[in-house]
Amino acid sequence: MEPASITTALPSIQATPAAAAVGGLVFSVYFIPFFWLLGLTRDFFLFLIGRPEFAEVPGLPVLGNLLQLTEKKPHKTFSNWAETYGPIYSIKTGSSSVVVLNTTDAAKEAMVTKFASISTRKMSKALSVLTQDKTMVAVSDYDDFHKMVKRHVLTNLLSPSAQKRLRSQRDMMVDNIAAQLLAHAKSHPGKALNFRKVFESELFGLSMRQAIGKDVQSIYVEELGTTVSRRGIFKALVLDPMDGAIEVDWRDFFPYLSWIPNPSFEAKIEQMHYQRQAVMSALIAEQKQRIASGEAIDCYVDYLLAEGKNLTDLQVSMLIWETIIETSDTTLVSTEWAMFELAKNPDIQERLVCQIQAVCGSEEVSEQHLSKLPYLSAIFHETLRRHSPVPVIPLRHVDVDTELGGYHVPAGTEIAINLYGCNMDSKQWENPDEWLPERFLGGGSDPMELHKTMAFGSGKRACAGALQAMLIACTSIGRMVQQFEWRLKEGEVDNVDTVALTARKLDPLHVIIKSRS
Ligand code: HEM
């Protein structure tokens, strides 16, 4: 039978159940052998050219593997599957096929060598709203907009020369943290301190000073008809969008059902976006007034309003907000895990103190000492490896048929790069579960080299803020250990669960600190 006649016959065959049964039979008789043969021929062809097929993780019809991924920690499930199905396998999330990469080689191939075929992203419904259709450096497609806005953020904030220019702001942050810790150690000796409360607040202050020139304590937001406190600003700009980014809308997995409304989900995400936008507009309006009054500050909003003349108000707002959320989250995640590990491992803490004493003497640890403190650098990198702050890179989309790890990957597939899996791969790292900074010592590698693990990604889209993250985390860790003895609060040692898009500690770190002086 000619294919054309079957397609034209199908609508009438499917009109009644009986006809559907007949249609099913016709389908089975003619098509199953056809597809079977096609599949066999394809397998045979792939076999002939030596291309293996992906292992597929078994799942349910229609849903695929969705029910196995309900916990919001897919990186651990991905790594468990890698033990059974190998480092590269495919899963089904509803109607999408996702190829999961769990080794550094495969991840690098996707991010570097094959970048041109895997450079875009399909956004979930929540991310489309929260990123305003990719109006951010980090999630924009690799196009002219991306190149322009990346140039802006590097020039004003993240390049080595910009970081040099902004150093006094980071120094101020570290001084503030040390002063608060000292006040706590003096006034509450032996009493547990909520480390996150101090560090998170200071980091957010730094992000605001860099972005809009001021650590705003409260602001009247006309669109909300109320004054929003500093904590409220932090919630609207950082905490809520972080939660929103991992909100799951079942329609993401079944695009053919996207015409069905999901009002509670839509209202929740739209509300988050509305509040963030309202707060950002108020913050930017205040800075525009300052600029109009002739007062200039060295910060991103002044730069963008002057240099980004072709950007819309929404784009300026999104780009400034992006730097606030990026500065405020992942650096906290990695510093908090580093302090957890140091407080848990007194011998490693002592070894770091000895190196700091030898290098800094009576001076306070600061950025100019970092290149002479390889053990501090090793602690930073081992923390990034063991507690990958971004465990899975947001899914990339395969735009044209490509090959990864020797496997054929058809266009339309999505790629999940499990950075956690790469950093915990036992073929690459001995005893990967153990936190052992020593593994990053020796070998003559540059202590300032940022890409010793896959934590910052790789290739053209590797983290643009890696230098800033390293400078803040390493100087803070060095200074905090130089001035205080750290130990975990009782019961804290097992508090290792994580939550959210980044690998935030589920419970804030609680420590007992004692001044060394
Ligand atoms: C320990 C801290 C951090 C970690 C582990 C981290 C991790 C990452 C990773 C894995 C990517 C790549 C995503 C991809 O391939 O799609 C990325 C991209 C990016 N990060 Fe970070 N990041 C950190 C801190 C920061 C900071 C402090 C900033 C800036 C304020 C920042 C700004 C960016 C930007 C702008 C991109 C997008 C680069 C591009 O697409 O060209 N990051 N980050």
Side-chain angles (χ1 to χ4, degrees):
M1 190 184 285
E2 290 294 316
S5 60
I6 287 175
T7 19
T8 41
L10 267 179
S12 57
I13 288 174
Q14 285 167 344
T16 65
V22 176
L25 196 68
V26 172
F27 185 86
S28 316
V29 170
Y30 287 96
F31 278 90
I32 291 182
F34 174 72
F35 282 127
W36 181 74
L37 248 176
L38 200 76
L40 208 69
T41 321
R42 183 170 160 269
D43 286 350
F44 185 61
F45 175 71
L46 291 173
F47 168 76
L48 274 186
I49 61 170
R51 262 192 202 151
E53 281 281 89
F54 285 123
E56 278 174 27
V57 178
L60 296 173
V62 184
L63 294 177
N65 304 97
L66 279 179
L67 296 183
Q68 292 146 287
L69 289 166
T70 45
E71 213 193 356
K72 288 179 180 171
K73 274 171 228 142
H75 55 286
K76 296 212 167 146
T77 314
F78 288 166
S79 293
N80 291 341
W81 282 337
E83 281 171 26
T84 311
Y85 302 100
I88 306 180
Y89 52 80
S90 82
I91 60 170
K92 279 279 215 192
T93 52
S95 58
S96 307
S97 290
V98 182
V99 166
V100 186
L101 311 177
N102 294 277
T103 64
T104 299
D105 284 348
K108 279 202 171 143
E109 190 181 353
M111 289 191 272
V112 184
T113 340
K114 303 289 163 57
F115 174 75
S117 346
I118 317 175
S119 66
T120 59
R121 288 198 166 99
K122 276 205 285 185
M123 297 274 103
S124 66
K125 294 235 184 273
L127 280 178
S128 293
V129 176
L130 293 171
T131 68
Q132 287 295 287
D133 292 325
K134 307 187 180 179
T135 311
M136 290 173 72
V137 180
V139 293
S140 49
D141 291 337
Y142 193 62
D143 54 15
D144 289 344
F145 175 78
H146 172 78
K147 285 172 197 153
M148 172 183 65
V149 292
K150 186 153 178 186
R151 183 170 47 77
H152 284 321
V153 78
L154 286 173
T155 307
N156 186 257
L157 274 185
L158 301 175
S159 67
S161 58
Q163 285 293 297
K164 209 167 164 187
R165 205 187 74 241
L166 296 167
R167 180 175 155 186
S168 60
Q169 303 208 5
R170 295 189 299 277
D171 287 350
M172 190 209 293
M173 173 194 155
V174 179
D175 286 346
N176 288 348
I177 291 171
Q180 287 187 53
L181 297 186
L182 190 61
H184 174 89
K186 277 187 180 158
S187 59
H188 299 93
K191 213 162 162 217
L193 164 93
N194 180 339
F195 170 75
R196 183 182 300 172
K197 214 168 152 195
V198 176
F199 196 82
E200 184 175 71
S201 173
E202 285 303 322
L203 196 57
F204 179 59
L206 173 76
S207 78
M208 294 287 276
R209 284 194 298 275
Q210 288 189 159
I212 60 168
K214 189 176 168 195
D215 181 6
V216 176
Q217 298 304 304
S218 67
I219 189 148
Y220 180 72
V221 181
E222 204 173 322
E223 286 164 77
L224 304 179
T226 185
T227 298
V228 181
S229 65
R230 185 178 188 266
R231 186 68 198 169
I233 300 175
F234 180 64
K235 186 170 175 312
L237 303 189
V238 180
L239 296 180
D240 287 350
M242 290 297 295
D243 285 346
I246 50 169
E247 281 291 333
V248 176
D249 181 346
W250 53 268
R251 295 172 302 176
D252 290 331
F253 304 114
F254 307 100
Y256 50 84
L257 296 179
S258 54
W259 54 273
I260 302 175
N262 188 354
S264 60
F265 175 86
E266 279 161 18
K268 191 171 168 186
I269 299 295
E270 285 296 344
Q271 175 72 1
M272 277 180 189
H273 165 59
Y274 181 76
Q275 294 201 341
R276 173 192 60 183
Q277 222 28 56
V279 171
M280 282 307 301
S281 298
L283 291 170
I284 293 174
E286 194 181 65
Q287 299 315 310
K288 279 184 175 168
Q289 277 181 16
R290 165 182 59 74
I291 296 167
S293 76
E295 186 193 344
I297 300 184
D298 179 7
C299 65
Y300 198 35
V301 75
D302 287 39
Y303 168 87
L304 271 190
L305 291 174
E307 300 294 324
K309 291 270 187 259
N310 50 351
L311 295 170
T312 64
D313 286 352
L314 176 71
Q315 287 170 333
V316 168
S317 167
M318 287 296 294
L319 295 172
I320 291 171
W321 165 75
E322 177 179 9
T323 66
I324 296 174
I325 192 166
E326 282 164 357
T327 297
S328 299
D329 184 67
T330 38
T331 311
L332 160 74
V333 172
S334 41
T335 311
E336 191 176 38
W337 279 118
M339 296 320 293
F340 169 86
E341 294 290 2
L342 282 162
K344 186 176 151 198
N345 294 281
D347 293 350
I348 295 181
Q349 200 183 136
E350 216 35 54
R351 185 169 172 187
L352 176 61
V353 173
C354 288
Q355 186 169 89
I356 289 174
Q357 270 167 2
V359 171
C360 306
S362 57
E363 288 174 22
E364 284 165 348
V365 173
S366 66
E367 290 183 9
Q368 80 251 22
H369 298 118
L370 296 184
S371 62
K372 295 179 209 118
L373 294 169
Y375 199 53
L376 178 56
S377 160
I379 285 169
F380 175 63
H381 288 292
E382 177 63 348
T383 306
L384 290 179
R385 185 198 66 79
R386 180 62 190 79
H387 301 281
S388 304
V390 181
V392 179
I393 290 198
L395 298 191
R396 297 247 175 107
H397 184 253
V398 178
D399 302 315
V400 285
D401 284 6
T402 191
E403 212 176 278
L404 277 178
Y407 296 99
H408 172 73
V409 186
T413 311
E414 306 227 50
I415 302 285
I417 302 175
N418 183 12
L419 293 184
Y420 167 87
C422 300
N423 286 333
M424 294 291 281
D425 180 5
S426 58
K427 295 204 178 69
Q428 190 183 353
W429 308 99
E430 208 176 311
N431 301 325
D433 282 323
E434 286 178 40
W435 183 77
L436 291 173
E438 277 68 13
R439 70 173 93 233
F440 286 104
L441 288 180
S445 66
D446 176 1
M448 304 301 277
E449 153 67 36
L450 292 168
H451 294 277
K452 295 179 185 187
T453 70
M454 294 297 285
F456 291 119
S458 195
K460 289 194 167 80
R461 303 304 292 261
C463 180
L467 177 64
Q468 172 175 296
M470 185 278 282
L471 291 171
I472 296 174
C474 287
T475 315
S476 307
I477 297 165
R479 180 81 174 272
M480 292 189 290
V481 168
Q482 181 186 39
Q483 281 189 238
F484 305 93
E485 240 178 87
W486 293 69
R487 115 182 118 78
L488 291 176
K489 185 185 132 185
E490 208 172 309
E492 186 70 26
V493 77
D494 296 321
N495 241 338
V496 291
D497 213 354
T498 57
V499 69
L501 183 66
T502 51
R504 229 170 220 255
K505 240 178 136 285
L506 176 62
D507 298 312
L509 172 65
H510 280 84
V511 279
I512 317 280
I513 52 168
K514 193 171 144 205
S515 173
R516 289 187 194 273
S517 60

